[in-house]
């Protein structure tokens, strides 16, 4: 018998639908929610022209660009497929999809994401628990199997 503590937990993301994330142009496929509530891992899809408003990462973030191109609005740098971006805790940025193709990222987020107004005031905060609840609720409402891991 295998101890499940040390067992692999494969997830077939092809079996998951893209789940809308609020406003048009954003969708995600959750892969893992950390059991201690500290973060989550997901595939993030953004349609051409979609802009991510100014936000701050409370914890660190790791993003690997799988397809499409996005421009970091603070530096002008364009991130394409195969590029990894590390954002330390406290990082503030905004970016948008450039070109005609959707962007798909593999992201690991630790802590909440705070969306900021022009004056730096927090307008909205999204915690790992809220993202997990969004996914649970979506699965229930659509009769879809919960496929992400919670480890």
């Amino acid at each position: 018998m295998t101890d499940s503590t040390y067992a692999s937990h494969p997830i077939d993301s092809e079996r998951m639908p893209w789940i809308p994330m609020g406003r048009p142009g954003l969708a995600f496929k959750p892969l893992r929610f950390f059991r201690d509530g500290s973060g989550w891992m997901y595939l993030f899809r953004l349609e051409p022209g979609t802009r991510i408003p100014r936000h701050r990462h409370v914890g660190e973030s790791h993003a690997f660009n799988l397809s499409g191109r996005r421009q970091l609005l603070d530096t002008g740098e364009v991130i394409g497929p195969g590029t990894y971006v590390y954002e330390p805790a406290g990082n503030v940025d905004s970016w948008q999809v450039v070109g005609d193709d959707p962007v798909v990222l593999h992201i690991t987020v630790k802590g909440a994401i705070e969306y900021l107004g022009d004056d730096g005031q927090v307008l909205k905060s999204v915690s790992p628990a809220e993202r997990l609840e969004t996914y649970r609720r979506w699965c229930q409402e659509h009769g879809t199997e919960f496929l992400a891991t919670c480890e």
Side-chain angles (χ1 to χ4, degrees), residues 57-79:
H57 293 276
V58 173
E60 65 184 28
S61 175
H62 304 265
F64 185 80
N65 210 83
L66 297 169
S67 63
R69 296 166 12 112
R70 63 189 177 113
Q71 182 177 29
L72 305 179
L73 297 177
D74 298 317
T75 66
E77 186 175 6
V78 175
I79 307 298

Side-chain angles (χ1 to χ4, degrees), residues 26-55:
L26 306 174
F28 77 115
K29 290 185 180 191
L31 302 173
R32 179 176 184 220
F33 294 94
F34 300 117
R35 185 180 305 270
D36 64 2
S38 66
W40 71 95
M41 296 174 71
Y42 62 109
L43 296 177
F44 190 24
R45 180 184 170 108
L46 302 97
E47 297 305 318
T50 302
R51 182 181 176 130
I52 298 298
R54 195 160 197 70
H55 61 282

